[in-house]
Amino acid sequence: MELEVRHLRALCAIADTGSVRKAARQLGMTQPSLTTQLRRIENALGGQLFFRERSGSRPTPLGHTVLHRARPIVAEMTALVDEVRSTVVREYGTRLRVGSTGSRAVAGWLRRLRARLPETDTTIRIDLSGNALLQMVAGGQLDAAFVHEVEGSPLRVPDGLVERELLAREPQFMALPETHPAAALECVTLADLADDQWMVDPSVDGEWAGLRRIFAAAGMDPRVVHGDYLAAADLVAAGEVVTPCQPTSRPRHGMVVRPLRGDPLAVRLFLAYRGGGRDTEWVDALFADLRSAYMEVAWASTAYRKWLARNESLLAVGY
């Protein structure tokens, strides 16, 4: 394993807070995940970095040596982020136009961008179609767009756009009525839902095609109705349908959100912007705020937090 800045930041957090538990909370991670990460760092360096005591964690002599080198590097990265912020302001002056397909991370992304760029007029365009947003970026109507791409149904990315991937494979969960027999399960299977009526919004690029593929693979032919996902939430709560949903979805009264065993339905999340002729450091700032906002809503979702803990390789998305 090669050490990265996020690893050094984790070591500094443990030393500063005196506790893996407190450091995990500060970093937005679970304690088991940070413990595993620390063990891997120690294995990579070949020695113990912290004494684990009842009162907390304190650096070993080797830990002090590593921290002595790590802190300036973390400080340099912080300075770099500050410099990038200034670059973004110079690039955009008083206007920043971003777009997104539906995501609970958008509100936090905007909040962070406006805090980072208080003098900039930051606007957002929400659209069901990732393809439409990508065309707007290519045509100069948007500066960047955060979109999702259904697995097996690639978006049409115009020439000249550059992608920055947030997550290669985000699993899609299922929204079920709380009265559904499978609602008592922590993870549901397609077979559990084979006799239900499903709802999908065909206007969302790739969604209906993605569902048809998993139905065919599972040998299923359920009843399907078409409609928008706002209406779907009401129908799920009323016990009329089940529907795929983002893992960050917040359950409402009468509804539960559950992972699908095997994660047969997934999307890729990425930020797209125009390449060439511009210092791309400005994207680092946009992407850092997007990543932070995404992890905020991811950890706030009980079902997704448990899924992330079981799929540790994806936890690094936030760090």
Side-chain angles (χ1 to χ4, degrees):
M1 182 186 80
E2 292 186 2
L3 285 185
E4 302 174 15
V5 174
R6 63 187 177 90
H7 298 137
L8 303 182
R9 187 175 289 113
L11 296 179
C12 292
I14 295 171
D16 292 341
T17 62
S19 160
V20 173
R21 178 178 59 82
K22 292 178 181 177
R25 185 181 304 166
Q26 176 179 302
L27 294 168
M29 303 174 67
T30 63
Q31 181 175 342
S33 297
L34 182 55
T35 299
T36 300
Q37 187 177 89
L38 174 59
R39 185 165 60 249
R40 289 174 177 170
I41 295 170
E42 290 178 327
N43 289 340
L45 293 177
Q48 185 176 352
L49 301 179
F50 291 92
F51 293 116
R52 281 73 156 177
E53 302 173 341
R54 181 173 298 179
S55 58
S57 299
R58 61 184 180 86
T60 63
L62 176 61
H64 279 296
T65 299
V66 173
L67 287 165
H68 177 72
R69 294 297 187 96
R71 291 191 188 280
I73 296 173
V74 173
E76 282 296 319
M77 286 302 298
T78 301
L80 174 61
V81 170
D82 291 339
E83 185 176 332
V84 168
R85 288 177 178 175
S86 298
T87 300
V88 173
V89 173
R90 290 194 301 271
E91 286 282 340
Y92 287 107
T94 60
R95 186 178 64 172
L96 173 63
R97 303 158 302 171
V98 296
S100 177
T101 48
S103 171
R104 289 195 59 238
V106 166
W109 189 27
L110 282 178
R111 184 176 69 249
R112 287 166 172 79
L113 288 175
R114 286 173 176 151
R116 182 189 293 273
L117 305 168
E119 303 302 320
T120 299
D121 179 19
T122 302
T123 59
I124 183 89
R125 167 68 181 262
I126 304 295
D127 199 299
L128 292 174
S129 171
N131 283 317
L133 291 171
L134 294 175
Q135 287 294 335
M136 293 180 72
V137 175
Q141 297 161 279
L142 294 174
D143 298 304
F146 171 48
V147 297
H148 75 273
E149 179 180 70
V150 177
E151 194 168 65
S153 298
L155 295 174
R156 298 183 297 275
V157 181
D159 292 340
L161 295 195
V162 180
E163 302 174 22
R164 179 77 68 87
E165 190 171 271
L166 175 67
L167 194 57
R169 198 170 192 272
E170 179 196 67
Q172 299 302 280
F173 287 3
M174 291 299 301
L176 316 175
E178 65 179 7
T179 56
H180 195 288
L185 303 175
E186 188 168 304
C187 185
V188 301
T189 66
L190 288 173
D192 295 327
L193 312 174
D195 296 327
D196 290 294
Q197 181 167 254
W198 288 57
M199 190 167 188
V200 62
D201 188 343
S203 62
V204 179
D205 294 332
E207 299 260 324
W208 180 214
L211 266 189
R212 288 200 302 267
R213 275 190 294 274
I214 69 167
F215 290 159
M220 293 173 54
D221 187 22
R223 294 164 293 157
V224 177
V225 294
H226 292 171
D228 67 81
Y229 285 129
L230 288 177
D234 290 332
L235 291 174
V236 170
E240 295 294 327
V241 301
V242 299
T243 187
C245 65
Q246 296 175 13
T248 54
S249 297
R250 181 174 295 167
R252 55 186 296 177
H253 179 70
M255 181 178 80
V256 299
V257 173
R258 296 289 183 264
L260 266 174
R261 188 176 304 280
D263 307 318
L265 189 62
V267 302
R268 183 170 73 98
L269 305 177
F270 65 93
L271 185 73
Y273 61 96
R274 293 184 304 282
R278 170 181 282 174
D279 188 345
T280 57
E281 284 187 350
W282 67 273
V283 183
D284 294 338
L286 298 187
F287 190 77
D289 285 340
L290 174 60
R291 184 174 56 186
S292 176
Y294 180 84
M295 290 308 295
E296 180 180 55
V297 296
W299 288 115
S301 166
T302 302
Y304 196 22
R305 186 168 63 246
K306 291 179 179 179
W307 186 94
L308 286 169
R310 293 194 300 269
N311 293 268
E312 203 169 290
S313 62
L314 296 181
L315 292 174
V317 69
Y319 313 105

